[in-house]
Amino acid sequence: MSEYTFLRGPADWWRQAVVYQIYPRSFADVNGDGIGDFAGIIDRIPYLASLGIDAVWLSPFYPSDLADGGYDVADYRNVDPRIGTLAEFDSMIQELHKNGIRLFVDIVPNHSSDQHEWFQAALTAGRGSAERERYIFREGKGENGELPPSNLVSHFGPEGWTRVEDGQWYMHLFAKEQPDFNWANQEIRDDFLKTLRFWSDRGVDGYRVDVAHALIKDLEGELPDRDSYALEVMMGDGTDKLFDRDEVHDIYKTWRKVFNEYDPPRVAVAEAWVHAHRRPAYASAEGLGQSFNFDLLVQPWNAQKFKETVTYNLAAAEREGSSTTWVLSNHDNIRHATKYGMPDNLNLHDWQHNGAKSQLPKIDLVKGANRARAAVMFELALPGSTYFYQGEELGLHEVFDIPADQMQDPQWFRSGGTKFTRDGCRVPLPWTSAGSSFGFGPGGAHLPQPSWFGEYSVERAEGDVDSTLHLYRKALKLRKTLLTIEKYEWVRTWNRNVLHFKRPNGWHCITNFGSKPVKLPKGEVVLSSAPLVGGKLPADASAWVIAK
Ligand code: NOJ
């Protein structure tokens, strides 16, 4: 680990860490079954090390029927045999650590897979059994219980209740293959502590906690109805029946005790889509410690929106004593290089969630790519930690033409194609410019790669000094030398389309969201996302300047 990670002591390595998300089934495949594996990750550790990242976050690699890309976990303390073995997991973590890279794994506590032995046991044990008490089983309404216990939609589309053979219904906020656990049951609580110890004992450094805000539900009396999961309909005071209830933090306090049994303490980041003022509780030092802020990810390319996002989140992080997170892409969202090339006036959220069946908006790939390069320099210069999503370092674009019969995402199927498919950002990575599945593996790819993928391959990027890959490497290398205490200050620009901030050691970041080149402050330009034009910063570009 480099010196800067110890600015506030070794236990704080995560505060300004750069974390690279691997979606294991789409990263690199060695055994040729078309699904990425641990052997593939081990093979690519030199590549990961060459990026200069601090940690890797692995999306779920556990045994799963893949009803939701692995977020339907059948066994929390094991590995999907298509991905590898526990022994390979151990080799992988050892190799990562040898290369100075820490490891986060994904924990999915809200629901299991319907293939989990507990759910299978609940089905056979029948109503009233201790086995059913591990999940949320209820009688239906109507004369013969033929109607669901409440009018609950699921996240991905229709019903949030499914009826089993003996007539009872179980709750699932996501796909029907993802039954929700009953966290009022102590057995569930104990089992997750066991899981956390299991992976922590194997050397895991941190956890990304899936739907961290949904574990506790108020199921007394009338069961909750819900026809939308938009944040606007979620209560913001801890009284929502399904989400973000205050009692959820009692669980994370017990998790924190486990994390603190280790040296350095294990860390965690909550995926909690809650009202912004409710995030600090998840990031508390007695709880998970950090909570994702996805605010940049949902913003359009707009200087004032970026500024508001940064100002709000850094002030909040300072108040709460945590560090914030910057995220531009992940496995649930359209790749940002593509998003930034879409028309500026498009309501992207609406298109993604209600209109995916309609015509694809016009995309300017070059503009998108330039803005993506500028955006990564912007976020890397800020205090806080940064989460990359595999492939963004290649400037990779979203794949929009996956044939419906090859799609995998339950969000697409369950919404009848109204919501966009997340498969488009999960297509296996291109490593070579040609050849079998562009170097992903010898046996094809589990999602079809388009013919243009080779142009975005690692091989192609390695050979081009101006590639996005080289920009990421240069930026991360420089960042290590420049990183400083977690302070920043806006510098007035007199131009609403230009953002300029500085760090206490004289490191300035200037980003031009406008259409005309702008002057840079005096100093040495140590990096720019696009060539300067007559000494000026062009449109859709960022520069780092060290003040003289
Ligand atoms: C959030 C994950 O990021 C997403 O991929 C998944 O579908 C849901 N949680 C359900 O686990």
Side-chain angles (χ1 to χ4, degrees), residues 23 57 68 71-72 106 108 111 156 174 178 208 210-211 271 273 330-332 409-410 422 426:
Y23 189 76
W57 147 32
D68 182 19
Y71 283 89
D72 45 324
D106 221 306
V108 188
H111 45 266
F156 298 142
F174 293 88
Q178 294 169 294
R208 178 262 188 195
D210 191 64
V211 239
E271 187 223 20
W273 288 87
N330 64 23
H331 66 295
D332 291 331
D409 186 1
R422 298 169 299 171
R426 300 175 179 182

Side-chain angles (χ1 to χ4, degrees), residues 16-19 293 296-297 301 306 310 314 324-329 336 340 371-389 392-393 472 475-476 479 483 501 503 507 509-511 513 542 544:
Q16 300 199 71
V18 176
V19 184
N293 115 53
L296 269 193
L297 180 146
W301 181 250
F306 268 50
V310 167
L314 287 177
T324 199
T325 65
W326 304 116
V327 186
L328 297 170
S329 277
H336 65 275
Y340 291 148
R371 289 176 173 183
R373 289 165 64 100
V376 74
M377 285 184 58
F378 178 86
E379 65 172 353
L380 286 174
L382 289 165
S385 61
T386 302
Y387 285 75
F388 291 157
Y389 176 53
E392 67 165 82
E393 77 281 15
Y472 268 62
L476 288 180
R479 184 178 194 268
L483 210 60
F501 60 87
R503 304 289 298 268
W507 174 19
C509 178
I510 301 95
T511 303
F513 293 78
S542 287
W544 288 355

Side-chain angles (χ1 to χ4, degrees), residues 212-216 234-249 272-275 277-279 281-282:
H213 56 305
L215 278 44
I216 300 290
M234 187 191 294
M235 303 295 286
D237 58 1
T239 63
D240 195 283
K241 283 190 156 234
L242 289 174
F243 296 107
D244 189 28
R245 297 187 62 80
D246 292 335
E247 308 91 289
V248 78
H249 300 295
W273 288 87
V274 296
H275 292 280
H277 69 277
R278 302 277 301 171
R279 283 184 212 140
Y282 294 85

Side-chain angles (χ1 to χ4, degrees), residues 24-100:
R25 293 177 177 83
S26 300
F27 187 67
D29 174 29
V30 162
N31 69 8
D33 63 358
I35 293 182
D37 42 39
F38 286 159
I41 297 175
I42 294 171
D43 254 14
R44 302 299 200 276
I45 289 178
Y47 173 77
L48 295 170
S50 80
L51 289 176
I53 53 169
D54 300 296
V56 156
W57 147 32
L58 287 185
S59 277
F61 50 79
Y62 314 105
S64 168
D65 248 22
L66 303 184
D68 182 19
Y71 283 89
D72 45 324
V73 179
D75 180 353
Y76 288 86
R77 298 187 283 274
N78 217 332
V79 173
D80 181 342
R82 289 166 289 194
I83 291 189
T85 61
L86 279 171
E88 281 176 301
F89 180 88
D90 294 340
S91 313
M92 176 183 67
I93 200 167
Q94 246 179 23
E95 237 2 77
L96 285 167
H97 283 167
K98 248 194 244 160
N99 283 276

